DNA sequence: TCAAAAGTGTTAAGTTTACACCCATGA
DNA sequence: TCATGGGTGTAAACTTAACACTTTTGA
């Protein structure tokens, strides 16, 4: 048996918290819980859960997301590790925060009801428990930086999307308007954003061409800047 | 007494590991341990330590750095939280990695001897234990990104520095050469990088003016791009 | 006297920004 | 027929990149 060196060291509760981004009606939203369980019942918080003995921290983040959404294969990335002594005023809990980018259409409203989860506009976020507001702020910073140089924004859209949808997504992420012609010029230079022959008529009478992100083509020549 | 909700949850060992950057002879170096203690005695690793009951994770990172260097007030930033199940093959330990930027001249060689610590050139890093090599790679990525847009590089230099030193620092961080005139043009536009009337003769016969970073001036107009 | 680092401006290339009108369609 | 979102090109401003010689001084 392997010798144990760490037996005198203290041990800690470790949790994960998920900042879940969704996009609709030209706005970024977060999936937040109006907690119907203790502690802090009745308050708003991120979805979270405890790290289990037999799972990695990345696996825990995926499991927690799955519990709330029923979805696997969602884009996730670590935000940071939060370890202030009193961040949870009950007992000490350390937390790794992750953000997730999902297509809001994939989300089953039944699961929302069960967990009392709600999509809240980014600029209408209520006060959250513990340090969750700070986690959200940092996650948004990371998203803004990363979305500019890596093609992660597509995770927030359906597989097929119009250029107007793509533009309004990036306007929402950056919090500023983008010139339509300049935006389309940049998109046109990215060969991995492919025009299909399908047309979406839901957003206008005339209809707009639907595009899709070709991940394989992106990896052949991975350049992205929006 | 506050009700306890988490008592059934598993607890974990939590450590911090420090990626300590230094700069001399125009090259970035890391302060690494040739371990004179178990586990993995004889192998190379980052400096680390366990999180204690009464300290935050940031405090733990500072304490661990202090134990190795005797220095407080060193620039540190979180790299990420590493939680693979078998990252430490002995017992499960989760680790928050931090990188630190220090002036190599502030480092007491006596402390180095005691811990068997060595400054190793970035491109001569030996294989490290556990996932420490991965931590180093991610820390370097963060440093490269952050050094370009925030004035953190000065932490690697003495208070007074020549423009040649500053340029070779940024060349080391980015891993590419920079045009001298373009570099100096950019520096000249940053009013918070102030020319002193002192001259350094250690690097050349002619001598070069010494500059300093004025943090207060920077915060009045915080723009940085190198 | 010469080797070695310090210091100094200009021009061309490339990138980014600003901007306005016609098109297709369903109500 | 008209209101609505879809689609398209050009020129000016700005930023970035390329480039070579003179100065100073200690050995």
């Amino acid at each position: 048996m392997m010798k144990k060196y760490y037996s005198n060291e203290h041990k800690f509760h470790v949790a994960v918290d998920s900042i879940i981004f969704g996009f609709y009606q030209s706005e970024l939203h977060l999936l937040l819980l109006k907690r119907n369980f203790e502690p802090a019942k009745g308050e708003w918080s991120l979805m979270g859960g405890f790290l289990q003995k037999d799972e990695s921290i990345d696996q825990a983040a995926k499991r927690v997301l799955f519990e709330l959404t029923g979805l696997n294969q969602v884009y996730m990335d670590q935000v940071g590790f939060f370890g202030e002594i009193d961040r949870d005023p009950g007992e000490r809990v350390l937390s790794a925060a992750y953000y997730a980018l999902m297509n809001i259409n994939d989300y089953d409203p039944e699961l929302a009801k069960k967990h009392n989860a709600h999509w809240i506009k980014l600029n209408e976020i209520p006060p959250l428990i513990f340090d969750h507001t700070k986690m959200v702020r940092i996650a948004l910073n990371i998203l803004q930086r990363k979305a500019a140089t890596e093609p992660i924004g597509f995770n927030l859209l359906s597989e097929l999307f119009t250029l107007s949808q793509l533009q309004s997504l990036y306007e929402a992420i950056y919090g500023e308007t983008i010139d339509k012609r300049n935006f389309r010029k940049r998109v046109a230079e990215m060969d991995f954003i492919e025009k299909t022959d399908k047309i979406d008529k839901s957003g206008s009478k005339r209809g707009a061409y639907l595009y899709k992100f070709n991940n394989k083509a992106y990896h052949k020549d991975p350049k992205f800047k929006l």
Side-chain angles (χ1 to χ4, degrees), chain A residues 13-204:
Chain A
H13 287 309
V14 176
V16 297
D17 288 301
S18 300
I19 299 104
I20 305 168
F21 287 96
F23 177 71
Y24 74 106
Q25 290 175 352
S26 299
E27 299 208 54
L28 282 177
H29 292 68
L30 289 185
L31 188 55
L32 297 174
L33 304 188
K34 178 94 175 175
R35 295 166 74 95
N36 53 11
F37 55 91
E38 292 290 355
K41 187 167 173 173
E43 296 187 62
W44 287 93
S45 80
L46 298 169
M47 176 71 180
F50 282 94
L51 175 63
Q52 303 297 306
K53 198 176 176 347
D54 58 350
E55 65 185 357
S56 73
I57 192 81
D58 283 0
Q59 285 163 355
K62 280 184 186 143
R63 174 180 53 76
V64 164
L65 187 77
F66 180 81
E67 285 171 10
L68 179 56
T69 65
L71 298 174
N72 280 308
Q73 312 270 61
V74 175
Y75 177 87
M76 295 192 82
D77 195 20
Q78 197 181 92
V79 172
F81 187 57
F82 295 78
E84 293 301 316
I85 295 173
D86 292 321
R87 54 176 294 283
D88 182 327
E91 296 173 59
R92 185 161 191 194
V93 179
L94 304 160
S95 177
Y98 284 74
Y99 71 94
L101 305 181
M102 61 173 284
N103 179 351
I104 225 160
N105 301 316
D106 294 343
Y107 187 57
D108 177 358
E110 287 305 311
L111 279 164
K113 265 181 210 150
K114 179 175 153 198
H115 288 92
N116 208 18
H118 305 264
W119 288 106
I120 310 284
K121 281 185 199 171
L122 208 55
N123 48 25
E124 294 177 0
I125 305 286
L128 305 178
I129 64 168
F130 307 168
D131 49 4
H132 287 194
T133 301
K134 183 181 177 189
M135 291 176 174
V136 168
R137 196 181 63 241
I138 298 174
L140 182 62
N141 284 343
I142 296 176
L143 173 59
Q144 289 174 329
R145 176 172 53 70
K146 206 151 179 170
T149 53
E150 290 177 53
I152 62 174
F154 304 103
N155 293 292
L156 289 159
L157 299 173
S158 299
E159 194 188 342
L160 297 173
F161 49 86
T162 67
L163 293 186
S164 296
Q165 286 165 359
L166 187 64
Q167 178 175 345
S168 71
L169 168 63
Y170 276 84
E171 289 177 332
I173 291 172
Y174 299 149
E176 55 190 31
T177 59
I178 303 172
D179 179 273
K180 182 165 58 162
R181 277 179 287 189
N182 293 337
F183 181 82
R184 283 165 187 245
K185 210 186 308 171
R186 292 196 291 273
V187 169
E189 275 162 15
M190 298 185 212
D191 296 338
F192 48 83
I193 299 179
E194 297 173 348
K195 190 177 189 172
T196 70
D197 56 5
K198 298 191 188 67
I199 292 194
D200 170 73
K201 291 227 159 199
S202 68
S204 68

Side-chain angles (χ1 to χ4, degrees), chain A residues 5-12:
Chain A
Y5 295 99
Y6 311 142
S7 34
N8 295 329
E9 300 296 340
H10 195 75
K11 292 176 137 186
F12 300 86

